[in-house]
Amino acid sequence: MRTVTVVGASLAGLYAARELRAQGFDGRLVIVGDETHGPYDRPPLSKDYLTGRAGEEGLALTDAQERAELDAEWLLGVRAGGLDARGRTVVLGDGRTVCTDGVVVATGASARTLGGGRRTGVHTLRTLDDARALRAELTGGERRVVIVGGGFVGAETASSCAALGHTVTVVESAPLPLVPQLGAEMAAVCAALHRRNGVALVTGASVAALHGTTAVTSVELTDGRTLPADVVVVGIGATPNTAWLAGSPLALNDGVLCDDGCATALPQVVAVGDVARVGGTRAEHWTAATRQPRAAVTNLLAGHTVADARSVPYFWSDQYGVRLQFTGRRREGDTVRVTEGEVADGAPGEDGFLARYERDGRTTAVLAANRPRSFMRARRELAREIHGVPA
């Protein structure tokens, strides 16, 4: 291959570019990104950046030295507009084209919105520009903040807003937040974290309408309640950025369909990160975005699948001073057993806890709250049990 184009200049795209150079590709490397910013770390956006404990300089994932070593052409601030039928040309939104021998699709995902027209005070939190706008609004005095969605982004944003002294309400349509990820028993523990820190939690209801002519003033719920709001943060998931691939030979279904090695139907195209449905699963986690590129690039350079990207799922979340860490594959019917520490009054005890999900006498997943060392040991043990896959 003489030219490889990485479409997407965020975490997964950067790691793919690094892997290309590390695995000996010395040809032309083009990196396309729709944001004007270079690659930056997203997890701090809802935490230290939002509260002002960290600045933008700490978010950058590259520096001048690394960019020089990568020797890439950076095309930033321009969207990809299409991929030709053979996967040999990337069409850009401004009309330019990039002729290429290989493509890494790393276009990520975009935050879902509520619709219903634009009002000031209504935010999503996925990009640096999103975080800038929300941070600016939260620094002008106490606000009534309504977080729509109790997932990880919603919970972390609620935690940050509460730390800044705002009045916060989290609205979750399910009976408990994080049930799909953690199951009902441990989801109840996370719900208790909100309440213990003075954040109101409304469950079993969703948003019927937003009110306010130009600026949001309240949130009407499907159960008839109306919540006053100066700021609304919408955290209801993300949609993979695949529209630019419509009409290409790639199979699309809630992401780009790939085999276990991130390879698509075209041997010269692989996909990584939030946009990739690898082996039937789309994982929107930092670890997936950093680990998939190694196998993906190996397979791209080989022209067929010789390596897979399997790993034991892992994610973490920081909420109200508690570091939650999870690894494994929980399934309905698994039992949960706290093996270290305790759950006190429904929330993590002072020294945290370690909980094991079990089925037929075997551990399927592990959840820890402020128990990093114990968690890492359990994570390694679990990884060895699951087909010898590295943690």
Side-chain angles (χ1 to χ4, degrees):
M1 289 187 176
R2 295 182 178 180
T3 300
V4 174
T5 302
V6 178
V7 187
S10 192
L11 184 69
L14 174 63
Y15 270 70
R18 288 172 174 170
E19 280 295 331
L20 281 160
R21 293 309 191 204
Q23 294 189 33
F25 175 71
D26 59 2
R28 180 189 180 208
L29 176 57
V30 182
I31 303 175
V32 178
D34 61 346
E35 294 185 67
T36 57
H37 319 293
Y40 59 87
D41 207 14
R42 294 186 192 275
L45 295 180
S46 59
K47 299 184 276 286
D48 287 352
Y49 179 79
L50 195 60
T51 59
R53 292 193 298 267
E56 292 185 17
E57 65 283 352
L59 301 177
L61 292 172
T62 61
D63 56 24
Q65 179 178 342
E66 183 183 24
R67 288 193 293 272
E69 292 171 351
L70 281 176
D71 188 25
E73 298 176 33
W74 294 83
L75 305 180
L76 300 179
V78 58
R79 292 182 178 275
L83 182 68
D84 77 346
R86 295 180 301 119
R88 302 289 187 182
T89 302
V90 175
V91 181
L92 304 182
D94 61 8
R96 288 180 290 171
T97 59
V98 179
C99 295
T100 189
D101 303 300
V103 176
V104 180
V105 178
T107 42
S110 297
R112 293 192 179 100
T113 62
L114 290 174
R118 295 180 61 86
R119 294 178 179 82
T120 60
V122 180
H123 300 264
T124 55
L125 183 53
R126 188 168 183 91
T127 69
L128 177 55
D129 288 338
D130 291 341
R132 282 174 172 171
L134 181 57
R135 179 166 139 165
E137 192 151 3
L138 294 174
T139 57
E142 184 177 349
R143 296 285 191 270
R144 299 167 298 179
V145 181
V146 174
I147 312 289
V148 182
F152 291 113
V153 170
E156 290 171 358
T157 304
S159 173
S160 296
C161 289
L164 290 169
H166 301 297
T167 301
V168 184
T169 302
V170 175
V171 177
E172 169 58 52
S173 59
L176 286 168
L178 299 172
V179 168
Q181 295 86 354
L182 304 180
E185 188 172 344
M186 289 295 112
V189 174
C190 292
L193 273 177
H194 290 296
R195 299 187 177 103
R196 188 169 75 180
N197 287 275
V199 170
L201 177 61
V202 177
T203 60
S206 55
V207 174
L210 299 178
H211 295 291
T213 305
T214 57
V216 67
T217 57
S218 63
V219 179
E220 181 183 341
L221 303 182
T222 51
D223 63 6
R225 279 181 284 183
T226 298
L227 306 175
D230 306 302
V231 176
V232 174
V233 183
V234 181
I236 54 175
T239 303
N241 293 324
T242 59
W244 70 282
L245 295 168
S248 77
L250 300 185
L252 308 176
N253 183 9
D254 186 37
V256 179
L257 300 189
C258 309
D259 66 11
D260 288 341
C262 303
T264 71
L266 293 175
Q268 67 275 19
V269 180
V270 295
V272 293
D274 293 355
V275 74
R277 180 166 288 278
V278 179
T281 302
R282 191 168 66 85
E284 293 185 25
H285 302 305
W286 189 93
T287 46
T290 57
R291 291 194 170 187
Q292 290 172 357
R294 176 169 296 179
V297 167
T298 298
N299 297 331
L300 177 66
L301 296 179
H304 60 282
T305 300
V306 296
D308 69 51
R310 290 183 306 152
S311 63
V312 179
Y314 165 69
F315 57 83
W316 78 92
S317 179
D318 295 316
Q319 304 173 23
Y320 307 105
V322 175
R323 164 63 62 97
L324 298 171
Q325 293 173 285
F326 182 92
T327 188
R329 294 180 174 88
R330 183 200 72 84
R331 293 183 296 167
E332 290 300 320
D334 288 355
T335 59
V336 186
R337 183 167 58 95
V338 175
T339 58
E340 294 183 24
E342 63 176 352
V343 174
D345 297 325
E350 184 176 342
D351 296 324
F353 67 82
L354 183 83
R356 294 178 181 270
Y357 295 77
E358 297 172 334
R359 176 181 291 266
D360 299 328
R362 300 187 64 180
T363 300
T364 59
V366 179
L367 172 68
N370 285 347
R371 289 259 172 164
R373 291 183 180 177
S374 296
F375 177 81
M376 289 308 298
R377 285 195 297 269
R379 183 185 178 193
R380 287 193 294 267
E381 292 169 3
L382 183 61
R384 285 194 295 267
E385 292 177 10
I386 302 178
H387 308 299
V389 175

